[in-house]
Amino acid sequence: NAGVTQTPKFRILKIGQSMTLQCAQDMNHNYMYWYRQDPGMGLKLIYYSVGAGITDKGEVPNGYNVSRSTTEDFPLRLELAAPSQTSVYFCASRPWTGGIDEQFFGPGTRLTVL
Amino acid sequence: QKEVEQNSGPLSVPEGAIASLNCTYSDRGSQSFFWYRQYSGKSPELIMSIYSNGDKEDGRFTAQLNKASQYVSLLIRDSQPSDSATYLCAALTNNDMRFGAGTRLTVKP
C-alpha cells in the first residue's frame, strides 16, 4: 500500500492564481481530512469528508473548496491564492472500525504564494 | 468552539529524564485523544491514543486522561535525544479532529 499520497510536494503560486492539491489514499478509509500548518504552529482543519459525496467545513475553510467523488481521492482547491495561504498542507485519512482509529498523514505539500 | 491548547514550550530535559507534556480541550463531547510526534519538515506520526479516564502505557510513553478536568498528558520516561521533536495533542469530536499548537521538546545529551 502507498498509504496517503499528496501531489505536488512543492508549489509557488502568484497572487490570484488557482490550483488543486491532490490527495489519494489506497487503504479504503472512510474519513479524509485537509489541514494546514503555518510555521511553528499546529494543524488547522480546513475541510473533512466522512465518505464519497459528503464534505464538511473545519476551522479555516475560507478560500478553499473540496470535493469527494470517490473513496480514494480528496482534492483541495484554492481559488484566488493569497499570501495568507502560504503554508504546508497535510492530507490525512482514517478508517472507521468503531474503536480509536489513527489518522494517517500524507507527506505534505509546501505552498508559497507570492 | 473545539479548542485544544498546549504549552508551546520549548521544553528542555536532560537525557534520561522524564518529559511531561500537557494538553487541555474545550469540548466535553470529545471522545478520543491522540499524541502525535512531528519531526521538523515531516508529517505527524501517532505516538499514543486514549479514550478512557486513567493511564495508558506503551513502552516509555504513558498517556493520561482526565475527562472531568478536560486534561490529557503525555509522559516520556528515559528521554532520548531522538525524542526531540514537536508533540501535538489532538481531540476527536464525532468526525472532527482538532490539534493543539504543539510543544517543542529538546532532549539534551
Side-chain angles (χ1 to χ4, degrees), chain A:
Chain A
N1 285 352
V4 181
T5 58
Q6 292 184 239
T7 56
K9 286 188 170 58
F10 303 94
R11 183 72 185 267
I12 298 175
L13 282 182
K14 293 182 179 177
I15 294 171
Q17 286 185 319
S18 300
M19 77 164 293
T20 299
L21 281 67
Q22 300 292 344
C23 174
Q25 52 92 9
D26 61 359
M27 298 173 281
N28 201 33
H29 287 173
N30 301 91
Y31 302 122
M32 295 187 76
Y33 300 81
W34 274 107
Y35 295 90
R36 60 176 287 173
Q37 187 175 34
D38 298 334
M41 302 296 287
L43 298 161
K44 296 284 189 184
L45 180 63
I46 304 172
Y47 272 96
Y48 65 98
S49 169
V50 303
I54 306 170
T55 62
D56 210 344
K57 295 178 181 179
E59 295 175 82
V60 290
N62 292 342
Y64 307 94
N65 278 300
V66 293
S67 59
R68 183 99 181 267
S69 57
T70 66
T71 298
E72 294 78 21
D73 300 300
F74 190 39
L76 178 72
R77 178 82 177 161
L78 277 72
E79 305 282 3
L80 298 175
S84 61
Q85 294 178 304
T86 294
S87 192
V88 179
Y89 290 83
F90 289 103
C91 179
S93 72
R94 181 170 71 89
W96 184 82
T97 62
I100 298 182
D101 298 311
E102 175 187 355
Q103 273 192 331
F104 294 83
F105 282 86
T109 294
R110 188 176 297 272
L111 176 67
T112 302
V113 182
L114 300 174

Side-chain angles (χ1 to χ4, degrees), chain B:
Chain B
Q1 284 289 350
K2 301 175 183 176
E3 294 183 350
V4 178
E5 295 193 359
Q6 298 178 246
N7 289 332
S8 60
L11 175 65
S12 181
V13 300
E15 183 174 357
I18 295 175
S20 177
L21 305 164
N22 304 314
C23 172
T24 59
Y25 60 97
S26 63
D27 190 337
R28 287 197 175 272
S30 297
Q31 304 119 325
S32 306
F33 306 89
F34 304 83
W35 283 100
Y36 282 81
R37 178 176 63 199
Q38 187 177 28
Y39 293 113
S40 181
K42 302 294 185 182
S43 53
E45 55 181 336
L46 184 70
I47 299 296
M48 293 282 291
S49 59
I50 187 168
Y51 69 94
S52 296
N53 277 329
D55 295 358
K56 181 181 177 184
E57 186 174 321
D58 184 1
R60 296 186 296 112
F61 300 95
T62 299
Q64 298 172 318
L65 174 61
N66 183 326
K67 289 188 176 180
S69 301
Q70 295 177 245
Y71 174 84
V72 191
S73 67
L74 179 71
L75 297 177
I76 307 174
R77 290 181 300 281
D78 189 23
S79 296
Q80 301 298 308
S82 59
D83 294 327
S84 297
T86 295
Y87 289 79
L88 301 169
C89 174
L92 180 65
T93 308
N94 298 318
N95 303 310
D96 188 328
M97 179 85 89
R98 299 291 175 103
F99 285 79
T103 298
R104 181 172 294 180
L105 172 67
T106 300
V107 181
K108 296 188 175 180

